[in-house]
Amino acid sequence: MSSITKNLQHVQHQIAASAERARRAPSSIQLLAVSKTFGEDAVREAVQAGQFAFGENYLQEALEKIAALKSPAPAARLEWHFIGPIQSNKTRPIAEQFDWVHSVDREKIARRLSEQRPAELGPLNVCLQVNISGEASKSGLTPQELPEVAAQVAQLPHIRLRGLMAIPEPTEDVARQHQAFAAVRALYESLRAGGLALDTLSMGMSADLEAAVAEGATIVRIGSAIFGARNYT
Ligand SMILES: *Cc1c(COP(=O)(O)O)cnc(C)c1O
């Protein structure tokens, strides 16, 4: 068995065990395999092992992979999620090639994605990224900005606002992991209470998956635990 296949099984077990501890149905948590920096062969291996949803951060790299994996036929079922920073002049290929975008952090980006989404593809699934740890350097909407932007984005015709995405400040302190994810969950619940039909909490990575599942994640974004350590050189 390849190491990617083994790693995928291990991560699926981790998700199921975390779900059970949280008294949640394992099927309520989707695994997004983050394939950034890894080539099409690694993605193919994951597909062979039954993984169909992939997350990418870097547009050019992602577009090459998407094109390479368009054929043969089984790849038609692949689902591509854009999870990286978005420049406003680069929205068109994202609107045309992806099924989901997790990293929308301003109304302008959402408006462009909606305008550029080909109608025949159906609405683009969007999460708003929130900056939950308040780090000046990280992208994401502040909790204060979120309600107004969410209300605006929910009105756009070719976008379906699904929920929130967050990347809390990395910490090995499990209590702090829980605290950050619970704060994202509270923002999500308050938007829902305000009438938005949201169903997605995109949170949790290789190092903090368990806490994210315990606090209600519906999509976990896992890279290195599946594909190994990334090499950026
Ligand atoms: C790289 C990345 C991940 C995956 O991180 P790992 O620690 O490798 O699991 C998840 N989400 C985002 C937004 C990322 O950029």
Side-chain angles (χ1 to χ4, degrees):
M1 204 185 295
S2 85
S3 63
I4 290 175
T5 303
K6 240 181 294 182
N7 292 346
L8 269 168
Q9 284 183 358
H10 178 72
V11 170
Q12 288 288 10
H13 283 302
Q14 256 186 308
I15 293 172
S18 306
E20 266 153 41
R21 274 191 290 274
R23 298 173 189 280
R24 299 182 56 200
S27 61
S28 65
I29 299 134
Q30 186 193 5
L31 171 57
L32 181 65
V34 177
S35 43
K36 66 177 178 219
T37 78
F38 292 94
E40 54 180 273
D41 288 346
V43 174
R44 279 210 180 85
E45 247 179 88
V47 172
Q48 297 250 293
Q51 176 65 32
F52 298 106
F54 294 92
E56 290 283 341
N57 289 57
Y58 310 109
L59 185 57
Q60 199 48 46
E61 177 198 332
L63 294 175
E64 285 166 22
K65 248 176 268 182
I66 292 170
L69 291 158
K70 273 248 156 76
S71 56
R77 293 157 61 208
L78 296 196
E79 193 177 278
W80 293 98
H81 296 230
F82 194 79
I83 62 174
I86 305 172
Q87 291 169 262
S88 63
N89 62 342
K90 299 276 175 63
T91 49
R92 185 177 295 279
I94 297 177
E96 291 175 347
Q97 302 284 337
F98 283 82
D99 303 292
W100 282 73
V101 182
H102 294 226
S103 42
V104 171
D105 63 355
R106 22 198 219 289
E107 193 269 341
K108 178 186 175 187
I109 296 288
R111 194 159 19 92
R112 291 176 64 91
L113 288 170
S114 180
E115 285 165 5
Q116 294 166 344
R117 178 68 169 175
E120 68 273 16
L121 293 183
L124 180 66
N125 297 293
V126 162
C127 291
L128 294 175
Q129 183 174 351
V130 279
N131 180 353
I132 205 65
S133 308
E135 301 155 277
S137 61
K138 278 264 174 69
S139 42
L141 293 152
T142 65
Q144 292 73 31
E145 295 167 323
L146 179 65
E148 189 183 343
V149 175
Q152 290 169 335
V153 172
Q155 299 299 317
L156 295 168
H158 301 292
I159 272 180
R160 183 164 164 218
L161 181 61
R162 300 293 297 262
L164 302 180
M165 185 274 253
I167 313 171
E169 188 175 19
T171 170
E172 286 175 18
D173 180 340
V174 173
R176 286 186 59 200
Q177 294 176 0
H178 279 267
Q179 213 171 43
F181 292 134
V184 183
R185 169 75 178 267
L187 292 170
Y188 169 79
E189 294 298 354
S190 103
L191 294 177
R192 277 160 51 105
L196 295 180
L198 308 181
D199 62 5
T200 301
L201 266 177
S202 167
M203 56 189 198
M205 318 203 313
S206 296
D208 54 15
L209 177 166
E210 176 163 7
V213 168
E215 300 300 339
T218 66
I219 298 182
V220 290
R221 308 178 312 270
I222 309 296
S224 47
I226 297 171
F227 295 107
R230 284 180 291 275
N231 180 356
Y232 285 98
T233 58

